Amino acid sequence: MEETIPGTEAAQIPQQRGTSLLEAAVRYAEERHWDVFPGTWLVPVGGGQCCSCGDAACAAPGAHPAREDWAAQASGSATVVRRMWQKQQTASVLLPTGRTFDAVEVPETAGFLALARMQRMELTLGPVTLAPDRRMRFFVLPGAGVKVPDLVRRSGWSPRALDLGVLGEGAYVAAPPTRMGTWGAVQWACRPTPANRWLPDVEELISALAYACGRDR
């Protein structure tokens, strides 16, 4: 079954339902050659749900690393991935950045504006996630963090004035169908397909992203 995320009618973005966390993790490893690792999970408590980390005020319930050595734990082997999720089948699916991709992070409203602008410009996009924290993350080639400040300035904006960041080495993104507490699930705003297997360089997208963030202030 496919549907369009509310508010993205102009983009017409298909979504996939019914994929388990294990199936998704294996697919990312096998089809995209992404490293993946299991994070925390949601635990039923008093009619609600809380993060397995035990912090009642957790900022990303059920969607953050469960152990300090998560970077070493991440693997692109489907066999290893299956073994990891067998230990906790409801663990979130997390993808380390700074390896096969970085992620440019912007507010949801700016992200939708940028997507529409990129489509009009006929730019080739990589995968893009939409998370319940109202942030969108655009996958680009590694090394984006070093380039972005200068690219933003060359686009006519001050890096400090824009709500635009880069997740690179030492960071991670939560991947669909991971859920964040009662807020909802991470979705693909632009899902992985054979057509976007080759990721864009951040230089190709930064103008549209900076413009959208500037408009969103």
Side-chain angles (χ1 to χ4, degrees), residues 33-56:
H33 304 294
W34 290 339
D35 284 355
V36 299
F37 67 98
T40 53
W41 56 93
L42 296 174
V43 179
V45 175
Q49 292 180 316
C50 71
C51 186
S52 62
C53 72
D55 183 357

Side-chain angles (χ1 to χ4, degrees), residues 32 34-35 70 95-106 125-129 136-149 151 164-174 188 196-203 205-206 209:
R32 302 300 292 202
W34 290 339
D35 284 355
W70 61 265
L95 311 173
T97 51
R99 299 186 182 186
T100 52
F101 64 87
D102 282 356
V104 181
E105 181 183 63
V106 298
L125 292 174
V128 182
T129 62
M136 292 179 73
R137 296 166 177 98
F138 291 71
F139 289 21
V140 296
L141 290 173
V146 176
K147 300 178 180 180
V148 162
L151 290 173
L164 183 155
V166 178
L167 300 173
E169 186 175 359
Y172 62 90
V173 296
W188 287 116
N196 63 20
R197 182 172 298 278
W198 303 106
L199 298 177
D201 189 284
V202 68
E203 188 169 356
L205 309 184
I206 198 65
L209 288 168

Side-chain angles (χ1 to χ4, degrees), residues 8-159:
T8 63
E9 290 80 2
Q12 293 296 301
I13 301 164
Q15 294 296 302
Q16 293 185 332
R17 293 276 191 187
T19 302
S20 74
L21 292 157
L22 170 60
E23 290 170 338
V26 170
R27 183 179 301 167
Y28 299 146
E30 288 186 332
E31 297 182 5
R32 302 300 292 202
H33 304 294
W34 290 339
D35 284 355
V36 299
F37 67 98
T40 53
W41 56 93
L42 296 174
V43 179
V45 175
Q49 292 180 316
C50 71
C51 186
S52 62
C53 72
D55 183 357
C58 181
H64 64 85
R67 42 195 278 185
E68 293 184 0
D69 64 342
W70 61 265
Q73 181 190 22
S75 173
S77 164
T79 300
V80 174
V81 169
R82 288 189 177 92
R83 187 183 308 132
M84 288 192 292
W85 262 268
Q86 283 176 354
K87 298 177 181 178
Q88 180 51 252
Q89 296 187 8
T90 59
S92 53
V93 181
L94 306 180
L95 311 173
T97 51
R99 299 186 182 186
T100 52
F101 64 87
D102 282 356
V104 181
E105 181 183 63
V106 298
E108 175 185 306
T109 51
F112 285 135
L113 178 61
L115 276 177
R117 188 176 179 86
M118 290 172 187
Q119 289 184 335
R120 290 195 299 270
M121 297 168 67
E122 297 184 348
L123 297 179
T124 300
L125 292 174
V128 182
T129 62
L130 170 61
D133 60 2
R134 303 184 68 83
R135 306 288 289 181
M136 292 179 73
R137 296 166 177 98
F138 291 71
F139 289 21
V140 296
L141 290 173
V146 176
K147 300 178 180 180
V148 162
D150 184 56
L151 290 173
V152 168
R153 283 189 288 267
R154 284 161 53 186
S155 296
W157 302 93
S158 167

